[in-house]
């Protein structure tokens, strides 16, 4: 059987349990992702990033306390190899440009493109 490369760890950062549960269901089809961990705020995410070699982050902009934009910039600065997909209902051109200019690989509108997430992750991990 051919090797598919090292298994990947994905971190979901979102404070909505409903969104996390939906993501866990749809991400089952992404074979390259072996482990998924979750964080509901900035501090939990920073803690996980410091302890586990994370390959990809699904990041919401709206988080309690410190926002996702600040976390995006932190990840880009301290973990530049991590690929970041911003996943938000704040899908205006302003936020899309802000996130991509700050280092996000992709920006996904939660209300319209949620089902594209597995495809985008597979594309990033190719």
């Amino acid at each position: 059987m051919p090797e598919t490369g090292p298994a990947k760890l994905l971190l979901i950062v979102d404070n909505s349990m409903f969104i996390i549960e939906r993501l866990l269901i749809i991400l089952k089809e992404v074979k390259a992702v072996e482990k998924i961990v979750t964080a509901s705020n900035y501090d939990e995410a920073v803690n996980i990033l410091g302890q586990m070699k994370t390959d990809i982050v699904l990041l919401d902009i709206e988080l309690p306390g410190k926002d996702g934009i600040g976390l995006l910039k932190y990840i880009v600065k301290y973990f530049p190899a991590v690929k970041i997909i911003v996943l938000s209902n704040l899908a205006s051109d302003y936020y899309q440009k802000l996130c991509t200019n700050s280092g996000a690989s992709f920006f996904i509108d939660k209300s319209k493109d949620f089902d594209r997430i597995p495809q985008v992750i597979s594309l990033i991990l190719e």
Side-chain angles (χ1 to χ4, degrees), residues 104-117:
S105 299
F106 281 90
F107 186 102
I108 294 179
D109 181 343
K110 276 185 187 178
S111 62
K112 291 193 317 193
D113 298 321
F114 200 87
D115 294 336
R116 289 189 54 229
I117 295 168

Side-chain angles (χ1 to χ4, degrees), residues 15-118:
N15 66 323
S16 166
M17 218 39 224
F18 174 74
I19 294 295
I20 289 173
E21 288 170 2
R22 279 188 64 201
L23 285 169
L24 291 172
I25 291 167
I26 69 169
L27 291 174
K28 287 180 182 175
E29 67 186 73
V30 182
K31 303 280 188 259
V33 175
E34 181 178 270
K35 184 170 184 178
I36 300 173
V37 292
T38 65
S40 61
N41 61 51
Y42 182 104
D43 293 332
E44 283 179 24
V46 168
N47 187 36
I48 291 168
L49 288 162
Q51 293 180 9
M52 306 173 106
K53 185 192 174 308
T54 305
D55 299 290
I56 192 161
V57 174
L58 287 177
L59 175 62
D60 189 8
I61 294 174
E62 297 178 284
L63 298 173
K66 297 179 185 174
D67 69 18
I69 302 292
L71 183 55
L72 169 63
K73 292 176 180 178
Y74 175 88
I75 296 169
V76 168
K77 181 175 181 178
Y78 294 104
F79 302 94
V82 174
K83 302 293 185 197
I84 305 160
I85 300 170
V86 173
L87 182 64
S88 183
N89 285 319
L90 298 176
S92 68
D93 285 345
Y94 170 80
Y95 282 108
Q96 290 185 34
K97 287 177 184 170
L98 177 61
C99 292
T100 53
N101 290 341
S102 296
S105 299
F106 281 90
F107 186 102
I108 294 179
D109 181 343
K110 276 185 187 178
S111 62
K112 291 193 317 193
D113 298 321
F114 200 87
D115 294 336
R116 289 189 54 229
I117 295 168

Side-chain angles (χ1 to χ4, degrees), residues 1-8 31-32 34 125-126:
M1 202 191 297
E3 287 266 333
T4 58
K8 305 295 183 182
K31 303 280 188 259
E34 181 178 270
L125 295 178
E126 282 183 346

